[in-house]
Amino acid sequence: MEYLLPKEEVSVVHDNDLENFLNSLGMLRKFQRGEVKCKFCKTRVTVENLHSVFPQSGAIKIVCDNPDCIRELSKLLREGTISL
Amino acid sequence: MTINVFNISLCTITIGAFGVIIYWLIHPEVVEKWAVLIYRVGYFISKHGSKKIVKHDIQGRINEFSKLLGKEIANWEPVGINVEWVKTDETATDFFRNNKLVIRMRHHSDQDKNFVMAAMVFISKSVLTKAKKYLSNNQKESLDLFIGKRLCLREKPRIAEKFFDEVFGPKTDSSNKIVELLDKYEIIDRVGIFYLVLVQELNFLGQKVFSQPRNPKIIEEVTHFINFLEGYANREIGDEAVKTEFTRKYCRCGIVIIAKSFKTKRGDTAPFIQYIKSLVDGEFENIYLIGSAKRENRAFIEKISFEVQQKFGYLEHFSKRYVARILISGKRTPVHNFLILIRSPHTIQFYDKELEEKLFGE
């Protein structure tokens, strides 16, 4: 039955909490100064086009909402390089 | 008398409430959908609760879809989604320790986008997880896109529009190979066997193959399997020239069409059993018996399934009534079909040499 189903946990951050979250990761200033680049396409990521954040090799990686970058992110998820 | 009426009413209300609670326990996604409505009213009044709307809306819709998928794909264990808000005071150390992707969710006024993003991440990670390890990137992506499309088309037109604008359109614009595969799935889906046969077989494949990721032999075999199902889906009714068996190393399945009216009317199972025997002798693992869902034909399919189980020791794995748009005189015509999957109890598992050496030292 559905209530017994295993659940895949998806971690999310709401727009209301985004500033605090980025601040606690020490990324807010960089964001505000426009110094954050997308891991895949290297374009500037702002609050407008931010899709997700994940840790990799000791660094915080940021992904923009460009469909090609989401596609690359999905690849990493399928391969298990990053986890939900 | 008054006490009796009171007791009966109390009893009815209690039973009713108990029934509602049981229903909600079995269908929590329905509770979540109702909760979203209540939170929306609450937000309208107090301007609080946007996060609750986002969370329960996504969970309710995706869990409902996952449950439906579980009914279509017999060998798939449905997985639900649990949207978890990160702690806003999470430090970089916590973030690295948790080692998880964090997706940004917009205000609920942009909930369609939130839903599409969460749905695609969920499908990428949770559907056909094992089989995807062995598929090509185009095969994996096209499957995710097609399943995502099916999910979003069930929802409000606004969500489907968002999906096509932000996910489907850009991906299909950039890859002809993905478009080709999506077109094939569309044809396979028209005859109702995208989930019932294609996804099911891929799931079986993921369960029995233990190989290095993206094995070229498996990729090639899956390509042939998709083409085989496309050929079957494009088959004109009565056309016996189209191949209905697929025999390769990893995928071995046959489709037996049970629709010869003269044979079904006579109730003579012998020609079908004889044909199925040749599939059993050929070590076909999965045999799909497909035919009209009309009462007489369905009973005949069930009779054949029973005989196959008795004679060859195969097991009935799954049965389903579904709508197929089959080709009759060049026109796709909707018909009600019935399918039974009978499966060999002796399935073979495959380890590639390199992995075998690693695991067993041979």
Side-chain angles (χ1 to χ4, degrees), chain A residues 1-3 5-15 17 20-21 24-25 47-48 50-55 58-60 65 67 70-71 73-75 77-80 82-84, chain B residues 25-26 28 50-51 63 67 78-86 88 90 92 95-96 99-107 113 121 124-126 132 141 144 166 170-171 174 214:
Chain A
M1 280 189 279
E2 208 267 351
Y3 65 95
L5 287 184
K7 296 269 164 72
E8 189 83 71
E9 197 173 280
V10 178
S11 298
V12 295
V13 59
H14 191 269
D15 269 358
D17 303 326
N20 284 341
F21 175 66
S24 62
L25 293 183
V47 174
E48 275 310 300
L50 171 70
H51 175 270
S52 52
V53 185
F54 65 93
I60 296 171
D65 64 359
I70 299 173
R71 183 178 173 173
L73 178 72
S74 298
K75 264 189 216 170
L77 274 171
R78 282 189 220 107
E79 287 163 4
I82 49 172
S83 51
L84 282 180
Chain B
L25 278 174
I26 298 171
S50 175
K51 283 166 78 171
N63 290 344
K67 215 170 153 187
V79 184
I81 186 173
N82 182 24
V83 173
E84 204 57 49
W85 298 107
V86 290
T88 47
E90 181 167 290
F95 182 69
F96 284 110
N99 195 28
K100 282 179 174 180
L101 172 76
V102 176
I103 306 170
R104 177 261 190 99
M105 289 285 129
R106 291 160 195 269
H107 186 266
K113 184 164 181 155
V121 165
S124 301
K125 188 70 186 163
S126 311
K132 276 182 195 160
E141 274 184 44
D144 283 353
E166 305 218 356
K171 280 192 186 175
S174 62
R214 272 180 275 175

Coordinates of all heavy atoms in Angstrom, one line a residue, chain A residues 1-3 5-15 17 20-21 24-25 47-48 50-55 58-60 65 67 70-71 73-75 77-80 82-84, chain B residues 25-26 28 50-51 63 67 78-86 88 90 92 95-96 99-107 113 121 124-126 132 141 144 166 170-171 174 214:
Chain A
M1 N 0.8 -1.2 0.0 CA 0.0 0.0 0.0 C 0.9 1.3 0.0 O 2.0 1.2 0.5 CB -0.9 0.0 1.2 CG -2.1 -0.9 1.0 SD -3.4 -0.8 2.2 CE -2.7 -1.8 3.5
E2 N 0.3 2.3 -0.5 CA 1.1 3.5 -0.8 C 1.8 4.1 0.5 O 2.9 4.5 0.5 CB 0.2 4.6 -1.4 CG 0.9 5.6 -2.3 CD 1.4 6.8 -1.6 OE1 1.0 7.0 -0.4 OE2 2.2 7.5 -2.2
Y3 N 1.1 4.0 1.6 CA 1.7 4.6 2.8 C 2.9 3.8 3.3 O 3.6 4.2 4.2 CB 0.6 4.8 4.0 CG 0.0 3.5 4.5 CD1 0.5 2.9 5.7 CD2 -1.1 2.9 3.9 CE1 0.0 1.8 6.2 CE2 -1.6 1.8 4.4 CZ -1.1 1.2 5.5 OH -1.6 0.0 6.0
L5 N 5.1 2.8 1.2 CA 6.1 2.9 0.1 C 7.4 3.5 0.6 O 7.4 4.3 1.5 CB 5.6 3.9 -1.0 CG 4.5 3.4 -1.9 CD1 4.3 4.5 -3.0 CD2 4.9 2.1 -2.6
P6 N 8.5 3.0 0.0 CA 9.8 3.7 0.4 C 9.7 5.1 -0.3 O 9.1 5.2 -1.4 CB 10.8 2.8 -0.3 CG 10.1 2.0 -1.3 CD 8.7 1.9 -0.9
K7 N 10.3 6.0 0.4 CA 10.3 7.4 -0.2 C 11.7 7.8 -0.6 O 12.7 7.6 0.2 CB 9.7 8.3 0.8 CG 8.3 8.1 1.2 CD 7.3 8.8 0.3 CE 5.9 8.4 0.4 NZ 5.2 8.6 1.6
E8 N 11.8 8.5 -1.7 CA 13.0 9.1 -2.1 C 13.0 10.5 -1.5 O 12.1 11.3 -1.8 CB 13.1 9.2 -3.6 CG 14.4 9.6 -4.2 CD 15.4 8.5 -4.3 OE1 15.2 7.6 -5.2 OE2 16.4 8.5 -3.6
E9 N 14.0 10.9 -0.7 CA 14.0 12.2 -0.1 C 14.6 13.2 -1.1 O 15.7 13.0 -1.6 CB 14.7 12.2 1.2 CG 14.4 13.3 2.1 CD 15.0 13.2 3.5 OE1 14.4 12.5 4.3 OE2 16.1 13.8 3.7
V10 N 13.9 14.3 -1.3 CA 14.5 15.3 -2.1 C 14.7 16.6 -1.3 O 13.7 17.1 -0.8 CB 13.5 15.6 -3.4 CG1 14.1 16.7 -4.2 CG2 13.4 14.4 -4.2
S11 N 15.9 17.0 -1.2 CA 16.2 18.2 -0.3 C 15.9 19.5 -1.2 O 16.4 19.6 -2.3 CB 17.6 18.2 0.2 OG 17.8 17.1 1.0
V12 N 15.2 20.4 -0.6 CA 14.9 21.6 -1.3 C 15.1 22.8 -0.4 O 15.0 22.7 0.8 CB 13.4 21.6 -1.9 CG1 13.2 20.5 -2.9 CG2 12.4 21.4 -0.7
V13 N 15.2 24.0 -1.1 CA 15.3 25.2 -0.3 C 14.3 26.2 -0.9 O 14.2 26.3 -2.2 CB 16.7 25.8 -0.2 CG1 17.3 26.1 -1.6 CG2 16.8 27.1 0.6
H14 N 13.5 26.8 -0.1 CA 12.5 27.7 -0.6 C 13.1 29.1 -0.8 O 14.0 29.5 -0.1 CB 11.3 27.8 0.4 CG 10.1 28.5 -0.1 ND1 9.9 29.8 0.1 CD2 9.0 28.0 -0.7 CE1 8.7 30.2 -0.5 NE2 8.2 29.1 -1.0
D15 N 12.5 29.9 -1.7 CA 12.9 31.2 -2.0 C 13.0 32.1 -0.7 O 13.9 32.9 -0.6 CB 12.0 31.9 -3.0 CG 12.4 31.7 -4.5 OD1 13.5 31.1 -4.6 OD2 11.7 32.1 -5.4
D17 N 13.9 31.2 2.1 CA 15.0 30.9 2.9 C 16.3 30.9 2.2 O 17.4 30.6 2.7 CB 14.9 29.4 3.5 CG 13.6 29.3 4.3 OD1 13.2 30.2 4.9 OD2 13.0 28.2 4.2
N20 N 19.3 33.1 3.6 CA 19.9 32.5 4.8 C 20.7 31.3 4.5 O 21.8 31.1 5.0 CB 18.8 32.1 5.8 CG 18.3 33.3 6.5 OD1 18.9 34.4 6.5 ND2 17.1 33.2 7.0
F21 N 20.2 30.5 3.6 CA 20.9 29.2 3.2 C 22.2 29.6 2.5 O 23.3 29.0 2.9 CB 20.0 28.4 2.2 CG 20.6 27.2 1.7 CD1 20.9 26.1 2.5 CD2 20.8 27.1 0.3 CE1 21.5 25.0 2.0 CE2 21.4 25.9 -0.2 CZ 21.7 24.9 0.6
S24 N 24.7 30.9 5.1 CA 25.2 29.9 6.0 C 26.3 29.0 5.2 O 27.2 28.5 5.8 CB 24.2 29.0 6.6 OG 23.5 28.3 5.6
L25 N 26.2 29.0 3.9 CA 27.2 28.2 3.1 C 28.4 29.1 2.8 O 29.3 28.7 2.1 CB 26.6 27.7 1.8 CG 25.5 26.6 1.9 CD1 25.1 26.1 0.5 CD2 26.0 25.4 2.7
V47 N 20.0 34.9 -8.4 CA 18.8 34.4 -7.8 C 17.8 34.0 -8.8 O 17.0 33.1 -8.6 CB 18.3 35.4 -6.7 CG1 17.0 34.9 -6.1 CG2 19.3 35.6 -5.6
E48 N 17.8 34.7 -9.9 CA 16.8 34.5 -11.0 C 16.9 33.1 -11.6 O 15.9 32.4 -11.9 CB 16.9 35.6 -12.0 CG 16.2 36.8 -11.8 CD 14.7 36.6 -11.3 OE1 14.0 36.0 -12.2 OE2 14.3 36.9 -10.2
L50 N 18.9 30.4 -10.6 CA 19.5 29.3 -9.8 C 18.6 28.1 -9.8 O 17.4 28.2 -9.6 CB 19.7 29.8 -8.3 CG 20.1 28.7 -7.3 CD1 21.5 28.2 -7.5 CD2 19.9 29.3 -5.9
H51 N 19.2 27.0 -10.1 CA 18.4 25.7 -10.1 C 18.7 24.9 -8.9 O 17.8 24.4 -8.2 CB 18.6 24.9 -11.4 CG 18.0 23.6 -11.4 ND1 18.5 22.4 -10.9 CD2 16.7 23.2 -11.8 CE1 17.7 21.4 -11.0 NE2 16.6 21.8 -11.5
S52 N 20.0 24.6 -8.6 CA 20.3 23.7 -7.5 C 21.8 23.9 -7.0 O 22.6 24.6 -7.7 CB 20.1 22.3 -7.9 OG 20.7 22.0 -9.1
V53 N 22.0 23.3 -5.9 CA 23.4 23.4 -5.3 C 23.8 22.0 -4.8 O 22.9 21.3 -4.3 CB 23.3 24.3 -4.0 CG1 24.7 24.6 -3.4 CG2 22.6 25.6 -4.3
F54 N 25.0 21.6 -5.0 CA 25.4 20.3 -4.5 C 26.9 20.3 -4.2 O 27.7 21.1 -4.8 CB 25.1 19.2 -5.4 CG 25.8 19.2 -6.8 CD1 27.0 18.5 -6.9 CD2 25.3 19.9 -7.8 CE1 27.6 18.5 -8.2 CE2 25.9 19.9 -9.1 CZ 27.1 19.2 -9.2
P55 N 27.4 19.5 -3.2 CA 28.8 19.4 -2.9 C 29.5 18.4 -3.8 O 29.0 17.4 -4.1 CB 28.8 18.9 -1.5 CG 27.5 18.1 -1.3 CD 26.6 18.6 -2.3
G58 N 34.8 18.6 -2.4 CA 35.2 19.6 -1.4 C 34.8 21.0 -1.8 O 35.1 22.0 -1.1
A59 N 34.0 21.2 -2.9 CA 33.6 22.5 -3.3 C 32.1 22.5 -3.4 O 31.4 21.5 -3.6 CB 34.2 22.9 -4.6
I60 N 31.5 23.7 -3.4 CA 30.1 23.9 -3.5 C 29.8 24.2 -5.0 O 30.3 25.2 -5.5 CB 29.5 25.0 -2.6 CG1 29.7 24.6 -1.2 CG2 28.0 25.2 -2.9 CD1 29.4 25.7 -0.2
D65 N 19.4 27.2 -14.4 CA 18.2 26.5 -14.9 C 18.2 26.4 -16.4 O 17.1 26.1 -17.0 CB 16.9 27.2 -14.3 CG 16.7 28.6 -14.8 OD1 17.6 29.1 -15.6 OD2 15.7 29.2 -14.4
P67 N 18.2 24.3 -19.6 CA 17.8 22.9 -19.8 C 19.0 22.0 -20.0 O 19.0 20.9 -19.6 CB 16.9 22.9 -21.0 CG 16.3 24.3 -21.1 CD 17.4 25.2 -20.5
I70 N 20.5 21.3 -16.7 CA 19.7 20.4 -15.9 C 19.9 18.9 -16.4 O 19.9 18.0 -15.7 CB 18.2 20.8 -15.9 CG1 18.1 22.2 -15.3 CG2 17.3 19.8 -15.2 CD1 16.7 22.8 -15.5
R71 N 20.0 18.8 -17.7 CA 20.3 17.6 -18.4 C 21.6 16.9 -17.9 O 21.7 15.8 -17.5 CB 20.4 17.8 -19.9 CG 20.6 16.7 -20.8 CD 20.6 17.3 -22.2 NE 20.9 16.4 -23.2 CZ 20.8 16.6 -24.5 NH1 20.4 17.8 -24.9 NH2 21.1 15.7 -25.4
L73 N 23.0 17.7 -15.1 CA 22.8 17.3 -13.6 C 22.1 16.0 -13.5 O 22.4 15.2 -12.7 CB 21.9 18.5 -13.0 CG 21.6 18.3 -11.5 CD1 22.8 18.5 -10.6 CD2 20.5 19.2 -11.1
S74 N 21.0 15.8 -14.4 CA 20.3 14.5 -14.3 C 21.3 13.3 -14.6 O 21.1 12.3 -14.0 CB 19.2 14.5 -15.4 OG 18.3 15.5 -15.1
K75 N 22.2 13.6 -15.5 CA 23.2 12.5 -15.8 C 24.0 12.1 -14.6 O 24.1 10.9 -14.3 CB 24.2 13.0 -16.9 CG 23.9 12.6 -18.3 CD 25.1 13.0 -19.2 CE 24.6 13.5 -20.5 NZ 25.6 14.0 -21.3
L77 N 23.0 12.5 -11.5 CA 22.1 11.8 -10.6 C 22.0 10.3 -11.0 O 22.0 9.5 -10.1 CB 20.8 12.5 -10.6 CG 20.6 13.7 -9.7 CD1 19.2 14.4 -10.1 CD2 20.6 13.3 -8.3
R78 N 21.7 10.1 -12.3 CA 21.5 8.7 -12.7 C 22.8 7.9 -12.5 O 22.7 6.7 -12.1 CB 21.2 8.7 -14.3 CG 19.8 9.1 -14.6 CD 19.5 8.8 -16.0 NE 18.7 9.9 -16.6 CZ 19.2 10.8 -17.4 NH1 20.4 10.8 -17.8 NH2 18.4 11.7 -17.9
E79 N 23.9 8.5 -12.7 CA 25.2 7.7 -12.5 C 25.5 7.6 -11.1 O 26.4 6.8 -10.7 CB 26.3 8.5 -13.2 CG 26.3 8.4 -14.7 CD 27.2 9.5 -15.4 OE1 27.9 10.2 -14.7 OE2 27.1 9.6 -16.6
G80 N 24.8 8.3 -10.2 CA 25.1 8.2 -8.8 C 26.3 9.0 -8.3 O 26.8 8.9 -7.2
I82 N 26.2 12.2 -7.8 CA 25.6 12.9 -6.7 C 24.3 12.3 -6.2 O 23.7 11.5 -7.0 CB 25.3 14.4 -7.1 CG1 24.6 14.5 -8.4 CG2 26.6 15.2 -7.1 CD1 24.1 15.9 -8.7
S83 N 24.0 12.5 -5.0 CA 22.8 11.8 -4.5 C 21.7 12.8 -4.1 O 22.0 14.0 -3.8 CB 23.2 10.9 -3.4 OG 23.9 11.6 -2.4
L84 N 20.5 12.3 -4.0 CA 19.4 13.1 -3.6 C 19.3 13.1 -2.0 O 19.7 12.2 -1.4 CB 18.1 12.5 -4.1 CG 17.7 12.8 -5.5 CD1 16.4 12.2 -5.9 CD2 17.6 14.3 -5.8
Chain B
L25 N -5.4 6.7 5.0 CA -4.2 5.9 5.3 C -3.7 5.2 4.0 O -2.5 5.2 3.7 CB -4.4 4.9 6.4 CG -4.3 5.4 7.8 CD1 -4.7 4.3 8.8 CD2 -2.9 6.0 8.1
I26 N -4.6 4.7 3.2 CA -4.3 4.0 2.0 C -3.9 5.0 0.9 O -3.1 4.7 0.1 CB -5.4 3.0 1.6 CG1 -5.7 2.0 2.7 CG2 -5.1 2.3 0.3 CD1 -6.9 1.1 2.5
P28 N -2.7 8.5 1.0 CA -2.2 9.7 1.6 C -2.1 10.9 0.6 O -2.2 12.1 0.9 CB -0.9 9.4 2.2 CG -0.5 8.1 1.6 CD -1.7 7.4 1.1
S50 N 3.4 29.2 2.4 CA 3.8 28.9 1.0 C 4.6 27.6 0.9 O 4.4 26.8 -0.1 CB 4.7 30.1 0.5 OG 5.2 29.8 -0.8
K51 N 5.5 27.4 1.9 CA 6.3 26.2 1.8 C 5.5 24.9 1.9 O 5.8 23.9 1.3 CB 7.3 26.2 3.0 CG 8.5 27.1 2.7 CD 9.3 27.4 4.0 CE 10.2 26.3 4.3 NZ 11.2 26.7 5.4
N63 N 3.4 11.3 -5.9 CA 3.1 10.0 -5.3 C 2.0 9.3 -6.0 O 1.9 8.1 -6.1 CB 2.9 10.1 -3.8 CG 4.2 10.5 -3.1 OD1 5.3 10.3 -3.6 ND2 4.1 11.0 -1.9
K67 N 2.2 5.7 -7.9 CA 1.3 4.6 -7.6 C 0.7 4.1 -8.9 O 0.6 2.8 -9.1 CB 0.2 5.2 -6.7 CG -0.3 4.3 -5.7 CD -1.2 5.1 -4.8 CE -2.2 4.3 -4.1 NZ -3.2 5.0 -3.4
P78 N 7.0 0.7 -6.6 CA 6.8 2.2 -6.6 C 7.6 2.9 -5.5 O 7.7 2.3 -4.4 CB 5.3 2.4 -6.5 CG 4.7 1.1 -6.7 CD 5.7 0.0 -6.4
V79 N 8.1 4.0 -5.8 CA 8.8 4.8 -4.8 C 8.1 6.2 -4.7 O 7.7 6.7 -5.8 CB 10.3 5.0 -5.3 CG1 11.1 5.8 -4.3 CG2 10.9 3.7 -5.7
G80 N 8.0 6.6 -3.5 CA 7.3 7.9 -3.4 C 8.4 9.0 -3.2 O 9.6 8.8 -3.2
I81 N 7.9 10.3 -3.1 CA 8.9 11.4 -2.9 C 8.5 12.0 -1.6 O 7.4 12.1 -1.2 CB 8.8 12.4 -4.1 CG1 9.8 13.5 -4.0 CG2 7.4 13.0 -4.2 CD1 9.9 14.4 -5.2
N82 N 9.6 12.4 -0.9 CA 9.4 13.2 0.3 C 10.2 14.5 0.2 O 11.4 14.4 0.2 CB 9.9 12.3 1.5 CG 9.7 13.0 2.8 OD1 8.8 13.9 2.9 ND2 10.5 12.6 3.8
V83 N 9.5 15.6 0.1 CA 10.2 16.9 -0.1 C 10.6 17.4 1.3 O 9.8 17.5 2.2 CB 9.2 17.9 -0.8 CG1 9.9 19.3 -0.8 CG2 8.9 17.4 -2.2
E84 N 11.9 17.5 1.4 CA 12.5 17.9 2.7 C 13.1 19.3 2.7 O 14.0 19.5 1.8 CB 13.5 16.8 3.1 CG 13.8 16.6 4.6 CD 12.6 16.3 5.4 OE1 11.8 15.4 5.1 OE2 12.4 17.0 6.4
W85 N 12.7 20.2 3.5 CA 13.3 21.5 3.5 C 14.7 21.5 4.2 O 14.8 20.9 5.2 CB 12.5 22.6 4.2 CG 11.1 22.7 3.5 CD1 9.9 22.3 4.0 CD2 10.8 23.3 2.3 NE1 8.9 22.5 3.1 CE2 9.5 23.2 2.0 CE3 11.6 24.0 1.3 CZ2 8.9 23.7 0.9 CZ3 11.0 24.4 0.1 CH2 9.7 24.3 -0.1
V86 N 15.7 22.1 3.6 CA 17.0 22.1 4.3 C 16.9 23.1 5.4 O 16.1 24.1 5.4 CB 18.2 22.5 3.3 CG1 18.5 21.4 2.3 CG2 17.9 23.8 2.7
T88 N 17.9 26.2 7.4 CA 18.4 27.5 6.8 C 19.7 27.8 7.5 O 20.5 28.6 7.0 CB 17.4 28.6 7.0 OG1 16.9 28.6 8.4 CG2 16.3 28.6 6.0
E90 N 22.0 25.6 8.1 CA 22.9 24.5 7.7 C 24.3 25.1 7.4 O 24.4 26.0 6.5 CB 22.4 23.7 6.5 CG 23.2 22.6 6.1 CD 22.5 21.6 5.2 OE1 21.6 20.9 5.6 OE2 22.9 21.6 4.0
A92 N 28.3 25.0 6.0 CA 29.0 24.3 4.9 C 29.4 22.9 5.3 O 29.3 22.0 4.5 CB 30.2 25.1 4.5
F95 N 26.5 20.7 5.1 CA 26.2 20.5 3.7 C 27.1 19.4 3.1 O 26.6 18.6 2.3 CB 26.4 21.9 3.0 CG 26.1 21.9 1.5 CD1 24.8 21.8 1.1 CD2 27.1 22.1 0.6 CE1 24.5 21.8 -0.3 CE2 26.8 22.1 -0.8 CZ 25.5 22.0 -1.2
F96 N 28.4 19.5 3.4 CA 29.3 18.4 2.8 C 29.0 17.1 3.5 O 29.1 16.1 2.8 CB 30.7 18.9 3.0 CG 31.1 19.9 2.0 CD1 31.4 21.2 2.5 CD2 31.2 19.6 0.7 CE1 31.7 22.2 1.6 CE2 31.6 20.6 -0.2 CZ 31.8 21.9 0.2
N99 N 26.0 15.6 1.9 CA 26.4 15.2 0.5 C 25.1 15.0 -0.4 O 25.0 14.0 -1.1 CB 27.2 13.9 0.6 CG 27.9 13.7 -0.7 OD1 28.2 14.7 -1.5 ND2 28.2 12.5 -1.1
K100 N 24.2 16.0 -0.4 CA 23.0 15.9 -1.2 C 22.8 17.1 -2.1 O 23.2 18.2 -1.8 CB 21.8 15.8 -0.2 CG 21.6 14.5 0.4 CD 20.5 14.5 1.3 CE 20.1 13.1 1.9 NZ 19.0 13.2 2.8
L101 N 22.1 16.8 -3.2 CA 21.7 17.9 -4.1 C 20.6 18.7 -3.4 O 19.7 18.1 -2.8 CB 21.1 17.2 -5.4 CG 20.5 18.2 -6.3 CD1 21.5 19.0 -7.1 CD2 19.6 17.4 -7.4
V102 N 20.6 20.0 -3.4 CA 19.6 20.8 -2.9 C 18.9 21.6 -4.1 O 19.6 22.3 -4.7 CB 20.1 21.8 -1.8 CG1 19.0 22.7 -1.3 CG2 20.7 21.0 -0.6
I103 N 17.7 21.4 -4.3 CA 17.0 22.0 -5.4 C 16.3 23.3 -4.9 O 15.6 23.3 -3.8 CB 16.0 21.1 -6.1 CG1 16.7 19.8 -6.5 CG2 15.4 21.7 -7.3 CD1 15.7 18.7 -6.9
R104 N 16.4 24.3 -5.7 CA 15.7 25.6 -5.3 C 14.2 25.5 -5.6 O 13.9 25.1 -6.8 CB 16.4 26.7 -6.0 CG 15.8 28.1 -5.8 CD 14.9 28.5 -7.0 NE 14.5 29.9 -6.9 CZ 15.1 30.8 -7.6 NH1 16.1 30.5 -8.4 NH2 14.7 32.0 -7.4
M105 N 13.4 25.9 -4.7 CA 11.9 25.9 -5.0 C 11.5 27.4 -4.9 O 11.8 28.1 -3.9 CB 11.2 25.1 -3.9 CG 11.3 23.6 -4.0 SD 10.4 22.9 -5.4 CE 11.6 22.0 -6.2
R106 N 10.7 27.7 -5.9 CA 10.3 29.1 -6.0 C 9.0 29.3 -5.1 O 8.5 28.3 -4.7 CB 10.0 29.5 -7.4 CG 11.2 29.6 -8.2 CD 11.0 29.5 -9.7 NE 12.3 29.2 -10.4 CZ 13.1 30.2 -10.8 NH1 12.8 31.4 -10.7 NH2 14.3 29.8 -11.3
H107 N 8.6 30.5 -5.0 CA 7.3 30.8 -4.3 C 6.2 30.0 -5.0 O 6.3 29.7 -6.2 CB 7.1 32.3 -4.4 CG 5.9 32.7 -3.6 ND1 4.6 32.8 -4.1 CD2 5.8 33.0 -2.2 CE1 3.8 33.2 -3.2 NE2 4.5 33.3 -2.0
K113 N 6.5 25.5 -12.3 CA 7.9 25.3 -12.5 C 8.5 24.4 -11.5 O 9.3 23.5 -11.8 CB 8.7 26.6 -12.6 CG 10.1 26.5 -12.9 CD 10.7 27.8 -13.4 CE 12.2 27.6 -13.7 NZ 12.7 28.5 -14.6
V121 N 13.7 15.5 -11.7 CA 14.8 15.0 -10.9 C 14.3 13.6 -10.3 O 15.1 12.6 -10.3 CB 15.1 16.0 -9.7 CG1 15.9 15.3 -8.6 CG2 15.9 17.1 -10.3
S124 N 14.4 10.9 -13.1 CA 15.8 10.6 -13.4 C 16.4 9.6 -12.4 O 17.1 8.7 -12.7 CB 16.7 11.8 -13.4 OG 16.3 12.8 -14.2
K125 N 16.1 9.8 -11.1 CA 16.7 9.1 -10.1 C 15.9 7.8 -9.7 O 16.6 6.8 -9.3 CB 16.8 10.0 -8.9 CG 17.6 9.5 -7.7 CD 19.1 9.4 -8.0 CE 19.8 8.8 -6.9 NZ 21.1 8.3 -7.2
S126 N 14.6 7.8 -9.8 CA 13.8 6.7 -9.2 C 13.2 5.7 -10.2 O 12.8 4.7 -9.8 CB 12.7 7.3 -8.4 OG 13.2 8.3 -7.5
K132 N 19.0 1.8 -16.2 CA 19.6 3.0 -16.8 C 21.1 2.9 -16.7 O 21.8 3.5 -17.6 CB 19.1 4.2 -16.1 CG 17.8 4.7 -16.6 CD 17.4 6.0 -15.8 CE 16.0 6.4 -16.0 NZ 15.5 7.3 -15.0
E141 N 17.8 9.4 -21.4 CA 17.1 10.7 -21.5 C 15.8 10.6 -22.1 O 14.8 11.3 -21.7 CB 18.0 11.7 -22.2 CG 19.0 12.3 -21.3 CD 19.8 13.4 -22.0 OE1 19.2 14.2 -22.7 OE2 21.0 13.4 -21.8
D144 N 13.3 9.1 -19.8 CA 12.9 10.1 -18.7 C 11.9 11.1 -19.3 O 10.9 11.5 -18.7 CB 14.1 10.8 -18.2 CG 14.9 9.9 -17.2 OD1 14.4 8.8 -16.9 OD2 16.0 10.3 -16.8
E166 N 10.1 24.3 -21.0 CA 11.4 24.3 -20.2 C 12.2 23.0 -20.3 O 13.4 23.1 -20.0 CB 11.1 24.7 -18.8 CG 10.4 26.0 -18.7 CD 10.8 26.9 -17.6 OE1 11.7 26.5 -16.8 OE2 10.3 28.0 -17.5
P170 N 13.5 22.2 -25.4 CA 14.9 22.5 -25.5 C 15.7 21.2 -25.8 O 16.6 21.1 -26.5 CB 15.3 23.1 -24.2 CG 14.1 23.7 -23.6 CD 12.9 22.9 -24.1
K171 N 15.3 20.1 -25.1 CA 16.0 18.8 -25.3 C 15.8 18.2 -26.7 O 16.7 17.7 -27.3 CB 15.6 17.8 -24.2 CG 16.3 18.1 -22.9 CD 16.2 17.0 -22.0 CE 16.8 17.4 -20.6 NZ 16.6 16.4 -19.6
S174 N 17.6 20.0 -29.5 CA 19.1 19.8 -29.5 C 19.5 18.4 -29.9 O 20.7 18.1 -30.1 CB 19.7 20.2 -28.2 OG 19.3 19.4 -27.2
R214 N 27.0 1.2 -19.1 CA 26.9 1.5 -20.6 C 27.7 0.4 -21.4 O 28.5 0.8 -22.2 CB 27.5 2.9 -20.9 CG 26.4 3.9 -20.7 CD 26.9 5.3 -21.0 NE 27.4 5.9 -19.8 CZ 28.0 7.1 -19.7 NH1 28.2 7.8 -20.8 NH2 28.4 7.5 -18.6

